[in-house]
Amino acid sequence: MDTAIIRKVLFSDAGFAPLALRFPLGIIFMVHGAQKLFGWFGGYGLEGTGQWMASQGIEPGVLMAGLAGPGEFFGGLFILIGLLTRPAALVLAFTMLIAIVSVHLSNGLLLTNNGYEYALALLAGSISLLISGAGRVSVDSLITQKS
């Protein structure tokens, strides 16, 4: 495998700042993914989440839940530890964009109306990590130091 490509994807000279963003985003995404996958934290699991997604016009619901759940759970885990941060952030940004457009946009901005402000904040954080990378304290940094 071409180490130049790996280094380009994983390298970050952002210092310590991304760490402050990675921890809350990672935890939030992991919890939301666990709700979809396992029914933890008051979630409905794949079947229930799939039924809800189908009711929102996101079809086929169970398949979409099967994509969003692992994307959020494992993407959040990878963001948290700083592993494959840019690819994980891309998946999470895409997931939030879908959520905004398909579920929240018609409700306006405010979260109190089931609007898109929360998903927009998660989208912005994901895009920030996509741009900056994981920073100095990360598995990505350890990998690039060795390559």
Side-chain angles (χ1 to χ4, degrees), residues 65 67 87-88 98 117 121 123 138:
L67 292 171
I98 298 287
E117 71 176 311
L123 172 63
S138 66

Side-chain angles (χ1 to χ4, degrees), residues 1-13 84 86-87 132-134 140-147:
M1 179 162 281
D2 189 357
T3 58
I5 293 172
I6 293 170
R7 183 164 174 73
K8 189 170 191 157
V9 170
L10 301 183
F11 178 76
S12 173
D13 61 0
L84 299 171
R86 285 188 174 100
S132 72
D140 288 351
S141 180
L142 291 173
I143 291 169
T144 57
Q145 287 172 11
K146 293 181 181 191
S147 63

Side-chain angles (χ1 to χ4, degrees), residues 33-135:
Q35 287 179 314
K36 291 174 181 70
L37 285 175
F38 313 119
W40 297 351
F41 308 107
Y44 301 107
L46 276 179
E47 191 66 36
T49 302
Q51 290 172 2
W52 176 82
M53 286 183 160
S55 77
Q56 298 297 304
I58 305 168
E59 294 278 2
V62 175
L63 175 63
M64 294 296 124
L67 292 171
E72 291 177 1
F73 184 79
F74 292 106
L77 176 62
F78 282 21
I79 291 286
L80 184 68
I81 65 174
L83 174 63
L84 299 171
T85 302
R86 285 188 174 100
L90 180 63
V91 168
L92 294 170
F94 183 72
T95 303
M96 289 301 93
L97 189 60
I98 298 287
I100 289 168
V101 171
S102 62
V103 178
H104 301 290
L105 192 62
S106 63
N107 299 319
L109 174 66
L110 297 178
L111 185 60
T112 54
N113 297 326
N114 196 30
Y116 59 89
E117 71 176 311
Y118 182 64
L120 181 63
L122 295 176
L123 172 63
S126 297
I127 290 173
S128 178
L129 290 173
L130 180 61
I131 294 166
S132 72

